[in-house]
Amino acid sequence: MAATRGEVLRLYKKMLRESISFSNYSYRTYALRRIKDAFRENKGESDPGKIKDLIMYGVHNLEIIKRQVVISQLYKTPELIVEACKKQSNDQKT
């Protein structure tokens, strides 16, 4: 069975949504950047077998992200200055 575009997009959105939950700013931005880069890198892949393997790899990594998010929420660190500045700028825009 060939992977559909919708299946890939759902995986992409799930990974991004889960990565936003990291409590640590550095982990959060790293995860988001890596996910976007990986999907962009494999955007032109047309081999159904390779796409299926990539999806399975993505699902495996999504499970890892979920576990790491739980751990990061157990051991929260203080908010960084960068995060506070971003929140203030977002509040001023609305």
Side-chain angles (χ1 to χ4, degrees):
M1 179 172 89
T4 63
R5 176 181 165 92
E7 193 176 350
V8 173
L9 288 174
R10 277 190 297 279
L11 177 61
Y12 179 70
K13 287 179 182 180
K14 283 179 186 177
M15 292 179 85
L16 290 177
R17 197 174 301 122
E18 193 65 38
S19 295
I20 290 171
S21 301
F22 275 111
S23 63
N24 185 300
Y25 176 80
S26 299
Y27 290 145
R28 185 171 52 246
T29 55
Y30 175 76
L32 291 170
R33 186 177 65 245
R34 280 293 297 132
I35 292 165
K36 290 175 184 177
D37 289 347
F39 274 82
R40 198 174 298 127
E41 180 181 315
N42 295 303
K43 182 179 179 179
E45 188 62 53
S46 58
D47 178 29
K50 177 74 173 168
I51 292 171
K52 184 177 178 183
D53 290 342
L54 289 168
I55 288 175
M56 294 306 295
Y57 181 70
V59 168
H60 175 73
N61 281 315
L62 177 60
E63 295 303 316
I64 292 171
I65 291 170
K66 286 179 180 181
R67 288 192 301 269
Q68 289 303 117
V69 164
V70 169
I71 292 170
S72 81
Q73 290 175 350
L74 290 173
Y75 302 100
K76 288 187 178 183
T77 57
E79 201 172 71
L80 298 175
I81 301 285
V82 174
E83 293 176 282
C85 292
K86 282 189 175 188
K87 284 183 182 177
Q88 287 177 353
S89 68
N90 287 340
D91 290 341
Q92 290 174 355
K93 289 179 184 178
T94 55

